[in-house]
Amino acid sequence: MPVFTEYSTSSRDLRVLPSFASPLPRLTPSFEPVGSEEKYEVLIAGAGPAGLFLQVLLARYGLSDKSLLCIDSKPTALKSGQADGLQPRTLEVLKSLGLADEILTEGCQMWEVAFWNPTQDKSGGIERTSIVPDVAVAARFPHEVTIHQGRIERILEDDLRRYSARGVQRSTRLTKVELDEAGDAEFPVLVEMEGPSGSRTVRTKHLVGADGAHSLVRRSMDFKLEGETSDFIWGVVDFVADTDFPDIRRRCAIHSDNGSVMVIPRERIATGEYLTRLYVHVQEEVKPDNDIASEEGIKGASKAEAKARREKITMESIFAQAQEVFKPYYIKPRRADAVDWWAAYQIGQRVSENFVKQDSKGVNRVFIVGDACHTHSPKAGQGMNVSMMDSYNLSWKLMHSLNGLSPITNSRDTILDTFETERLTIAKELIAFDKEFSAMFSGKIGAEGTEGLTHDQFLEVFSTGNGFTSGCGIEYPETSLVEKTIPQGLVTGSDYLSGVLKPGRRLLNVTVKRHADGYRRDLQDDFPSTGRYRLLILTSTDLLTQSSLSYTSLTHTSSILEAFPPGLIELVVLHPLPSNTFVWKDLPAAVRTYAEMSFYNGTELQDAYSVYGLAKEKGAMVVVRPDGYVGCLGELGEEGLAKVEGYLKGCLRAVGDEKGNGTSNGHS
Amino acid sequence: MPVFTEYSTSSRDLRVLPSFASPLPRLTPSFEPVGSEEKYEVLIAGAGPAGLFLQVLLARYGLSDKSLLCIDSKPTALKSGQADGLQPRTLEVLKSLGLADEILTEGCQMWEVAFWNPTQDKSGGIERTSIVPDVAVAARFPHEVTIHQGRIERILEDDLRRYSARGVQRSTRLTKVELDEAGDAEFPVLVEMEGPSGSRTVRTKHLVGADGAHSLVRRSMDFKLEGETSDFIWGVVDFVADTDFPDIRRRCAIHSDNGSVMVIPRERIATGEYLTRLYVHVQEEVKPDNDIASEEGIKGASKAEAKARREKITMESIFAQAQEVFKPYYIKPRRADAVDWWAAYQIGQRVSENFVKQDSKGVNRVFIVGDACHTHSPKAGQGMNVSMMDSYNLSWKLMHSLNGLSPITNSRDTILDTFETERLTIAKELIAFDKEFSAMFSGKIGAEGTEGLTHDQFLEVFSTGNGFTSGCGIEYPETSLVEKTIPQGLVTGSDYLSGVLKPGRRLLNVTVKRHADGYRRDLQDDFPSTGRYRLLILTSTDLLTQSSLSYTSLTHTSSILEAFPPGLIELVVLHPLPSNTFVWKDLPAAVRTYAEMSFYNGTELQDAYSVYGLAKEKGAMVVVRPDGYVGCLGELGEEGLAKVEGYLKGCLRAVGDEKGNGTSNGHS
């Protein structure tokens, strides 16, 4: 197309780059460190999946290198990580950040689980009992993905470097942490660290300990670990398998008379071959003797005894034990160099009694996330997921607090309080579930009269646990962020795992057709992780009548949206009418003004009303939190509008509300 | 998961990076330039979408910076490109390279087209006649995507830099091209170029001219342009629209009594707003006066006349004309600075009579691709797509030739001959279609008794043209790469656009369920663009009987695969049986050996047999070329196996065939 006259704006050049997330507005004064001391608004200790993910999120929300420092004791990005499983909910969150594509394409998608048990005829050996879907609940991605943890960290770090010139400050180790309000009330967290150029002291408004199971931050804050005193010992090995076992590419729970093995298929590698991971139960229950237990004063075996026991476990012993379980099938590495990684571990379930330390004025100053909060077995595939979701939950609350976006109630930012309430609830549920799942998995199954469960009992725990193991079934308790009351008759059904709306649970994805352009779209794509709230309105069938509840409610949303700083609440609207039977001018002006590109036919492709448990004659208003969880449910009409507005005023500072806006972060 | 014993291989570290494409094997001696002259195996002139895409493909197939040079006269990557539409077929190809994700996520997906025409009641103004799907044929991505051309080039260049340290050599301009066999028969293409450090002379085995409509390569080879002598003048503008027109986010063909406009919705930009592109017909048919016509000696107006006419077109005149067409709706830029880019162009349809120049021994030495081959209007959204597909077609044929993978027939590499045969066919069809489509679009429609077509006639051309405009309906003619004969009764139906198999057409994607792991997968993902052929076998229902045609044919595939260099032909197998009713040992060993991860249930999710026009009781064997086009169709059984093997021996050098392996590229 030879052009003979041409003009273009300079900003057009920018558009060749990947899109950047839009930063959150800041109502507090911008951060300008004064004095000679090194100061930050947020310091993150540890750049594993939890710490790195938090840094990525805060950087995307707009925290610059000046405000945000993340340190890690290791000299390079971790390449020897052993977590490898991403749950459907974690995939949804990564998708909401534009970070899921490589993982979905190049990871191993795990769609099915096979259960193997001792043969019915007691002839020895094992036989397949059943194959079931790996993810039994409704989810945008109805499978798990396994992929090398180092790769996930590389993907996160690639994204981080688009927002942060510094990235992670490596080879830098925390040596001391204390709260010193007397020294500086605004930057009360005093941190000492050692790096390549010696030791230094840093002050920060907030410190986040993402420093793992042995967390110095946790210990410095005197948070006690609560937990079990019994551990199991397992071996784990990643290799290219040579086997005649028929289900080597399925996730398998194998119970034999000779012990238990879990098979986790892994991704394809550069040779074109596929990895397999085995978890092999190599020793019966033992007393705890690992470092955490010792450090935390949990009574156990002596360090010398523990060391001796560990040394007995070798790669050969892991394969020998696995071979016993797989009989009559054979399994071995395809070649001598086909073993990629192996390890042995021993661990119980423990959770920190606190996740947050407040200063004397009640400001949340020190947080812990990830393994620093909770340790547990890897078999339910929870570790990296729950850790990253701790950071996901904390990130926007902390950012809203720093930017002065959250309201001040009784002189305090109560939104930030919900981090501990919500994540401690989940951690405790995780530990309880993992205890049950691990013990059950380590026990013998199918051998009548022994300590084991029957296969049917096992399958039941597996299935009911699926809401938890998928990450899609978790439910946050009532707080200022979760208003549990639902108007009588608004929601029908209680199959929350299949999408029926419930405050505290995540909004399930549905496929909808956009009015403006006919785009078949995933609704979750209108709920990106940018730190914004969304008002999701499902209109009723009366939408086209100007005096109707739908019409007047939509008109009134303008005043709700405008009561808060611009752009902090986005409008998404579904309707249940046939497509293309009306045009923009038949609708309330607010729809096109605020939702031109987020106004959908909610019934043509998938019946969103029925998935969400709503009646098309009634509709509903749903406030969705920045992390995709339902915060509040209201009816169309005045009462619902008032409820929604009241809920939002508990979450966000309204325009003109100047309370607490005097200090540098507006809240501390 | 605290680990107390751990071991890992060093190669594990590599796995944090995005996967690399596996290079093609090389049977010819590796390229080592000798002497003082600068020499390459392939030199690409021009790094627009066609040239850059070719460089990406050759680098992925394994051509290093030593063998491959791409130069471009511009100092930086093009940021002012005006092509913006990617067809469904181009999206499929980009997906097969792992390059589609960002485009699909961040581009504007165009799902629907609206047709607007003069109001029926002759009251003046326009009204919507219909809304139809933008893509009416079966495709993996049933929509087009519009996105800034500069972004597509950036995505290609990002990928290129993973394989090439040099990337594109910029600010370097071709000044002279000639074939000089006397000087060096192996590197007969002599090229002079000017760069930042002066002029230099380079020799290359092959030169590809991706140097645009004014191609020096084309002119140096004396290829004549054949084409029309009449042009239309159009204005084009990208802006954020303020309008009450209801379909501004749909692709629209608007015909009014005041002229014609095409609306192309574009992607979201950093402000959160969405761009719109308008093509506005600003002047009736004129005599050609553009540079191409003059250079090629096509009779036209003088340069002075042309210049005067161009200067009449301004941004204001484009918007004024558009406003006339949109009546009774208003349309204007949302703000003074909301115009992103505008241009005016004038162009007819022309195609080069040759795409390739051979040397005296019949070796294909100089190629042209993209705009250098064909120029046409942008309205059918063809430009960038056809250009990139030229390169896609050439890339693997050229690489097979250089690496000695293609057979030598009568002392010549006839596979490389098919580039011109196939792409010239498509270019001529493109020009013919574009001529019809453009003329029709520029004419008035719905005004009875005038020169125009009725709306129904227009819609019919639009719909029948969809196979072409989607890129999914093109069909290559019979050559050594396309064996058109189909065994009697093997394929039922002739709805090739819906997937019925036909040699010369691309294999339509189907969703299949993998036997090994239950993965719900797109079949096209087993046909990545790595330069390999695939043997796709659809077994019949007799698969589990050892004496059956399916079983014995699968067993025999081993000997076919092993007749060629390892890994050059991959095996993909579909079966029509219920899932999980058999295990690996019930199948021919070749299935697990060659297709463990590409063996699928072809009926559970989607009935691939019926889509492809095959009977489940009969099955079929399909050879799919490296570019995803069907090359040959055979029945299960001895005759079919012989046909498939014969076809493949015409495409690939068999093991032990040493003919022609004596020179450095094995073929020249």
Side-chain angles (χ1 to χ4, degrees):
Chain A
M1 187 177 102
V3 161
F4 51 72
T5 303
E6 185 170 10
Y7 157 87
S8 70
T9 59
S10 57
S11 64
R12 193 159 178 266
D13 290 355
L14 284 176
R15 233 163 282 145
V16 305
L17 298 173
S19 301
F20 288 92
S22 174
L24 281 167
R26 181 161 183 143
L27 304 183
T28 47
S30 67
F31 171 65
E32 290 298 338
V34 287
S36 59
E37 275 181 307
E38 187 178 351
K39 283 181 188 169
Y40 298 97
E41 296 199 283
V42 179
L43 173 61
I44 302 169
L52 188 56
F53 194 47
L54 182 62
Q55 190 186 8
V56 168
L57 290 163
L58 293 175
R60 292 172 70 112
Y61 297 151
L63 225 48
S64 72
D65 282 354
K66 199 163 63 178
S67 288
L68 174 64
L69 176 69
C70 178
I71 61 168
D72 195 88
S73 58
K74 286 175 231 68
T76 56
L78 182 66
K79 296 202 176 90
S80 58
Q82 55 272 19
D84 64 354
L86 292 172
Q87 301 168 346
R89 176 59 190 155
T90 309
L91 295 172
E92 289 181 355
V93 170
L94 289 169
K95 183 72 184 169
S96 76
L97 291 157
L99 299 177
D101 293 325
E102 182 182 335
I103 291 167
L104 289 170
T105 306
E106 304 215 13
C108 166
Q109 296 194 9
M110 210 155 60
W111 285 77
E112 292 184 343
V113 192
F115 295 96
W116 287 74
N117 285 291
T119 51
Q120 292 274 358
D121 61 7
K122 317 273 183 206
S123 62
I126 50 173
E127 63 187 8
R128 185 202 286 158
T129 314
S130 59
I131 295 180
V132 301
D134 183 54
V135 175
V137 303
R140 178 169 181 181
F141 307 101
H143 55 79
E144 296 182 80
V145 170
T146 58
I147 191 167
H148 182 19
Q149 178 182 332
R151 188 154 176 173
I152 296 164
E153 293 181 19
R154 194 268 306 156
I155 292 168
L156 293 177
E157 198 157 355
D158 280 356
D159 192 61
L160 173 66
R161 297 309 289 259
R162 299 170 58 220
Y163 298 89
S164 161
R166 186 200 295 125
V168 176
Q169 194 169 83
R170 301 201 179 270
S171 299
T172 304
R173 192 171 61 87
L174 218 60
T175 52
K176 193 179 168 190
V177 177
E178 62 178 40
L179 263 182
D180 170 37
E181 291 177 74
D184 186 335
E186 202 187 341
F187 297 82
V189 190
L190 190 68
V191 173
E192 288 177 17
M193 52 182 83
E194 271 177 18
S197 46
S199 58
R200 63 196 228 255
T201 302
V202 168
R203 280 191 173 272
T204 181
K205 286 183 184 170
H206 302 283
L207 170 68
V208 184
D211 49 346
H214 303 264
S215 172
L216 178 72
V217 176
R218 183 187 68 225
R219 286 182 284 134
S220 303
M221 293 298 112
D222 274 333
F223 297 159
K224 291 281 170 276
L225 280 186
E226 297 169 348
E228 287 301 299
T229 58
S230 293
D231 292 2
F232 294 92
I233 293 190
W234 287 73
V236 52
V237 57
D238 289 348
F239 66 115
V240 179
D242 176 7
T243 182
D244 56 354
F245 179 67
D247 285 342
I248 197 66
R249 295 306 306 167
R250 289 187 175 88
R251 182 175 169 193
C252 296
I254 307 177
H255 296 96
S256 81
D257 292 332
N258 302 315
S260 297
V261 166
M262 179 167 269
V263 179
I264 305 284
R266 289 278 307 268
E267 70 271 22
R268 190 177 200 183
I269 58 177
T271 58
E273 297 169 311
Y274 291 78
L275 286 180
T276 298
R277 168 168 292 190
L278 299 183
Y279 286 107
V280 182
H281 187 198
V282 288
Q283 201 170 330
E284 291 306 306
E285 194 172 327
V286 291
K287 291 216 171 63
D289 62 4
N290 63 41
D291 293 346
I292 301 169
S294 309
E295 281 162 12
E296 303 297 334
I298 295 173
K299 207 173 162 182
S302 76
K303 291 218 167 195
E305 280 174 314
K307 188 165 179 289
R309 196 182 304 149
R310 288 168 193 174
E311 285 170 355
K312 280 191 222 144
I313 299 173
T314 62
M315 184 178 85
E316 290 70 25
S317 71
I318 295 172
F319 275 114
Q321 173 60 20
Q323 179 58 75
E324 285 303 305
V325 174
F326 273 88
K327 276 180 181 172
Y329 302 100
Y330 77 90
I331 186 159
K332 59 183 184 186
R334 188 174 285 183
R335 293 175 305 275
D337 66 351
V339 176
D340 191 57
W341 175 79
W342 71 271
Y345 64 92
Q346 167 191 355
I347 192 163
Q349 292 79 27
R350 292 172 190 94
V351 60
S352 175
E353 60 181 356
N354 296 100
F355 286 11
V356 178
K357 185 80 154 194
Q358 299 180 342
D359 67 12
S360 64
K361 284 171 285 183
V363 179
N364 298 288
R365 292 297 185 184
V366 180
F367 307 85
I368 52 173
V369 293
D371 286 354
C373 307
H374 37 70
T375 63
H376 46 86
S377 86
K379 277 175 299 296
Q382 296 285 320
M384 180 164 49
N385 296 280
V386 177
S387 293
M388 288 172 71
M389 292 307 105
D390 287 343
S391 294
Y392 186 59
N393 187 286
L394 175 59
S395 64
W396 55 278
K397 297 171 182 177
L398 185 55
M399 193 70 188
H400 280 205
S401 175
L402 285 167
N403 281 11
L405 303 178
S406 30
I408 301 302
T409 313
N410 301 327
S411 309
R412 294 194 57 253
D413 177 354
T414 56
I415 296 300
L416 199 47
D417 292 345
T418 66
F419 163 67
E420 188 181 61
T421 317
E422 295 189 340
R423 296 311 296 177
L424 195 50
T425 303
I426 300 308
K428 285 179 172 166
E429 289 173 9
L430 163 68
I431 298 305
F433 169 75
D434 186 53
K435 220 168 90 181
E436 182 179 21
F437 191 76
S438 287
M440 185 183 74
F441 193 77
S442 302
K444 282 183 186 149
I445 281 186
E448 275 172 50
T450 67
E451 79 275 27
L453 300 171
T454 65
H455 174 64
D456 287 348
Q457 288 171 311
F458 182 87
L459 199 57
E460 195 185 319
V461 175
F462 181 86
S463 298
T464 54
N466 212 265
F468 205 80
T469 53
S470 67
C472 299
I474 74 164
E475 182 178 326
Y476 290 134
E478 171 109 16
T479 61
S480 46
L481 280 176
V482 179
E483 159 63 88
K484 291 267 184 191
T485 323
I486 304 176
Q488 184 77 31
L490 184 67
V491 175
T492 307
S494 59
D495 189 358
Y496 306 119
L497 285 175
S498 298
V500 170
L501 294 175
K502 187 166 192 202
R505 288 179 175 257
R506 76 97 165 69
L507 183 78
L508 177 64
N509 186 56
V510 289
T511 311
V512 288
K513 183 175 160 184
R514 190 150 66 187
H515 177 77
D517 58 3
Y519 187 167
R520 280 77 174 143
R521 198 168 152 87
D522 289 296
L523 188 61
Q524 281 188 347
D525 287 341
D526 275 350
F527 296 77
S529 295
T530 58
R532 271 76 173 177
Y533 284 81
R534 276 95 192 186
L535 177 53
L536 168 65
I537 297 187
L538 294 104
T539 77
S540 76
T541 43
D542 66 8
L543 171 63
L544 301 179
T545 308
Q546 295 212 7
S547 58
S548 70
L549 278 183
S550 293
Y551 199 103
T552 54
S553 298
L554 279 168
T555 299
H556 191 74
T557 54
S558 300
S559 67
I560 297 184
L561 301 184
E562 287 156 14
F564 298 93
L568 271 186
I569 306 171
E570 296 172 342
L571 184 64
V572 180
V573 183
L574 305 191
H575 71 80
L577 306 175
S579 283
N580 302 331
T581 52
F582 55 89
V583 292
W584 290 113
K585 70 175 172 47
D586 303 323
L587 302 172
V591 177
R592 193 170 192 185
T593 305
Y594 290 104
E596 180 179 6
M597 300 303 273
S598 52
F599 175 60
Y600 297 99
N601 183 315
T603 55
E604 187 173 326
L605 303 178
Q606 200 182 347
D607 187 346
Y609 288 75
S610 134
V611 169
Y612 291 150
L614 301 174
K616 294 176 191 61
E617 300 70 34
K618 214 162 178 182
M621 290 193 288
V622 187
V623 184
V624 182
R625 311 174 354 162
D627 51 6
Y629 289 77
V630 174
C632 167
L633 278 173
E635 293 176 297
L636 294 172
E638 273 180 42
E639 206 171 317
L641 287 162
K643 183 181 179 191
V644 160
E645 189 164 0
Y647 167 83
L648 284 167
K649 285 192 169 157
C651 303
L652 284 171
R653 180 184 306 176
V655 169
D657 175 3
E658 297 303 315
K659 276 182 293 185
N661 199 4
T663 64
S664 77
N665 78 352
H667 295 75
S668 51
Chain B
M1 186 177 101
V3 161
F4 52 74
T5 303
E6 186 171 9
Y7 156 87
S8 69
T9 58
S10 57
S11 64
R12 194 158 178 265
D13 290 356
L14 284 176
R15 235 163 281 145
V16 307
L17 298 173
S19 301
F20 289 91
S22 174
L24 281 168
R26 182 164 184 140
L27 304 184
T28 45
S30 67
F31 171 65
E32 290 300 336
V34 287
S36 58
E37 274 182 308
E38 187 178 352
K39 283 181 187 169
Y40 298 95
E41 296 198 283
V42 180
L43 173 61
I44 303 168
L52 189 55
F53 194 47
L54 182 62
Q55 190 186 8
V56 168
L57 289 163
L58 293 174
R60 293 172 69 113
Y61 298 151
L63 225 49
S64 72
D65 281 355
K66 201 163 61 180
S67 289
L68 174 65
L69 175 69
C70 178
I71 61 168
D72 195 271
S73 58
K74 289 175 224 65
T76 57
L78 182 65
K79 295 201 177 90
S80 57
Q82 54 272 16
D84 64 354
L86 292 172
Q87 301 169 345
R89 176 59 191 156
T90 309
L91 295 172
E92 289 181 354
V93 170
L94 290 170
K95 183 72 185 169
S96 77
L97 292 158
L99 299 177
D101 292 326
E102 182 182 334
I103 291 166
L104 289 170
T105 306
E106 305 215 13
C108 167
Q109 295 193 9
M110 209 155 63
W111 285 77
E112 291 183 344
V113 192
F115 295 95
W116 287 75
N117 285 293
T119 51
Q120 292 274 356
D121 61 7
K122 318 274 182 203
S123 63
I126 50 173
E127 64 188 6
R128 185 201 286 157
T129 315
S130 59
I131 295 180
V132 302
D134 183 53
V135 176
V137 304
R140 178 170 182 179
F141 306 102
H143 54 79
E144 296 181 79
V145 169
T146 58
I147 191 167
H148 183 17
Q149 178 182 331
R151 187 152 177 174
I152 294 165
E153 294 182 18
R154 194 266 307 154
I155 290 169
L156 292 177
E157 198 157 357
D158 280 356
D159 192 61
L160 173 66
R161 297 310 289 258
R162 299 170 59 220
Y163 298 88
S164 160
R166 186 199 295 125
V168 176
Q169 193 168 83
R170 300 199 179 272
S171 300
T172 303
R173 191 170 61 85
L174 218 60
T175 53
K176 191 179 171 191
V177 177
E178 61 178 39
L179 262 181
D180 171 36
E181 290 175 77
D184 186 335
E186 203 187 341
F187 297 83
V189 191
L190 189 67
V191 172
E192 287 177 21
M193 50 182 83
E194 270 177 18
S197 46
S199 57
R200 62 198 228 257
T201 303
V202 168
R203 279 193 173 270
T204 180
K205 286 183 185 170
H206 304 283
L207 169 69
V208 184
D211 49 347
H214 302 266
S215 172
L216 178 71
V217 176
R218 184 188 67 224
R219 286 181 283 136
S220 303
M221 294 299 111
D222 274 333
F223 298 159
K224 291 280 170 282
L225 281 185
E226 298 169 347
E228 287 302 298
T229 59
S230 293
D231 291 1
F232 295 92
I233 293 191
W234 287 74
V236 52
V237 58
D238 290 345
F239 67 116
V240 178
D242 176 8
T243 182
D244 56 355
F245 180 67
D247 285 341
I248 198 66
R249 295 305 307 166
R250 289 187 177 88
R251 181 175 170 195
C252 296
I254 307 177
H255 296 99
S256 81
D257 292 332
N258 302 315
S260 298
V261 165
M262 178 167 271
V263 179
I264 305 285
R266 288 280 306 268
E267 70 272 22
R268 192 177 198 183
I269 58 177
T271 59
E273 298 169 312
Y274 291 77
L275 286 179
T276 298
R277 168 169 293 191
L278 299 183
Y279 286 107
V280 183
H281 187 197
V282 288
Q283 200 170 329
E284 291 306 307
E285 194 173 329
V286 293
K287 290 216 172 63
D289 62 6
N290 64 42
D291 293 347
I292 302 171
S294 308
E295 281 161 14
E296 303 298 333
I298 295 172
K299 205 172 167 183
S302 76
K303 290 215 168 195
E305 281 174 317
K307 187 161 177 291
R309 196 181 305 149
R310 290 169 194 174
E311 284 168 357
K312 281 192 219 143
I313 299 173
T314 62
M315 183 178 85
E316 289 70 25
S317 69
I318 296 173
F319 275 113
Q321 173 59 19
Q323 180 58 75
E324 285 303 304
V325 175
F326 272 87
K327 277 181 183 171
Y329 302 100
Y330 76 90
I331 185 158
K332 59 183 183 185
R334 190 175 284 181
R335 294 175 305 276
D337 66 352
V339 176
D340 192 57
W341 173 79
W342 71 269
Y345 64 92
Q346 166 190 354
I347 191 165
Q349 292 80 26
R350 288 169 196 97
V351 61
S352 176
E353 60 181 353
N354 295 99
F355 286 10
V356 178
K357 184 80 155 195
Q358 298 180 344
D359 66 14
S360 64
K361 283 171 286 182
V363 179
N364 297 288
R365 292 298 184 182
V366 180
F367 307 84
I368 53 173
V369 293
D371 286 354
C373 307
H374 36 71
T375 63
H376 45 86
S377 87
K379 279 174 299 300
Q382 296 284 324
M384 181 165 48
N385 296 279
V386 177
S387 293
M388 288 172 72
M389 291 307 105
D390 286 343
S391 293
Y392 185 60
N393 187 287
L394 175 60
S395 64
W396 56 276
K397 297 173 181 175
L398 185 54
M399 193 71 187
H400 280 206
S401 175
L402 285 167
N403 281 11
L405 303 178
S406 29
I408 302 302
T409 312
N410 301 327
S411 311
R412 295 194 55 250
D413 178 354
T414 56
I415 296 300
L416 199 47
D417 291 345
T418 66
F419 163 69
E420 187 180 64
T421 316
E422 295 189 339
R423 296 310 296 177
L424 195 50
T425 304
I426 300 306
K428 285 180 173 167
E429 289 174 8
L430 163 68
I431 298 305
F433 170 76
D434 187 53
K435 219 169 90 182
E436 182 179 22
F437 191 76
S438 287
M440 183 183 75
F441 194 78
S442 301
K444 281 182 187 151
I445 282 188
E448 277 173 51
T450 67
E451 80 276 22
L453 300 171
T454 66
H455 174 64
D456 286 346
Q457 289 170 310
F458 183 85
L459 200 56
E460 195 186 319
V461 176
F462 182 85
S463 298
T464 54
N466 213 265
F468 205 80
T469 54
S470 67
C472 299
I474 73 164
E475 182 177 326
Y476 290 135
E478 171 110 15
T479 61
S480 46
L481 280 175
V482 178
E483 160 62 89
K484 291 266 184 191
T485 323
I486 304 176
Q488 185 75 30
L490 185 66
V491 175
T492 308
S494 59
D495 189 357
Y496 306 119
L497 285 175
S498 299
V500 170
L501 293 176
K502 187 165 191 204
R505 289 179 175 257
R506 76 97 164 70
L507 183 77
L508 177 64
N509 187 56
V510 288
T511 313
V512 288
K513 182 173 161 187
R514 190 151 67 187
H515 177 77
D517 58 3
Y519 187 167
R520 279 78 174 142
R521 197 168 155 86
D522 289 297
L523 187 63
Q524 280 189 348
D525 287 341
D526 275 351
F527 296 77
S529 294
T530 58
R532 272 77 173 173
Y533 284 81
R534 276 94 191 185
L535 177 52
L536 169 64
I537 297 186
L538 294 105
T539 77
S540 75
T541 44
D542 66 8
L543 172 61
L544 301 179
T545 307
Q546 297 211 5
S547 58
S548 70
L549 278 184
S550 294
Y551 199 103
T552 54
S553 298
L554 280 168
T555 299
H556 190 74
T557 55
S558 301
S559 67
I560 296 184
L561 301 183
E562 287 156 15
F564 297 94
L568 271 188
I569 305 170
E570 296 173 342
L571 183 65
V572 180
V573 183
L574 304 192
H575 71 80
L577 307 175
S579 284
N580 301 331
T581 52
F582 55 90
V583 291
W584 290 114
K585 68 175 172 50
D586 303 326
L587 302 172
V591 177
R592 193 169 193 186
T593 305
Y594 290 104
E596 180 180 6
M597 301 303 273
S598 52
F599 175 60
Y600 298 98
N601 183 314
T603 55
E604 186 173 328
L605 304 178
Q606 200 181 349
D607 188 345
Y609 287 74
S610 129
V611 169
Y612 291 149
L614 301 174
K616 295 178 191 58
E617 300 70 34
K618 215 163 176 183
M621 290 192 289
V622 188
V623 184
V624 181
R625 311 174 355 163
D627 51 7
Y629 288 76
V630 174
C632 168
L633 278 173
E635 292 177 296
L636 294 173
E638 273 180 42
E639 206 171 315
L641 286 162
K643 183 181 181 193
V644 161
E645 189 163 359
Y647 168 83
L648 284 167
K649 286 194 168 155
C651 303
L652 284 172
R653 181 184 308 177
V655 170
D657 176 3
E658 298 303 314
K659 276 182 293 183
N661 199 4
T663 65
S664 76
N665 75 354
H667 295 75
S668 52

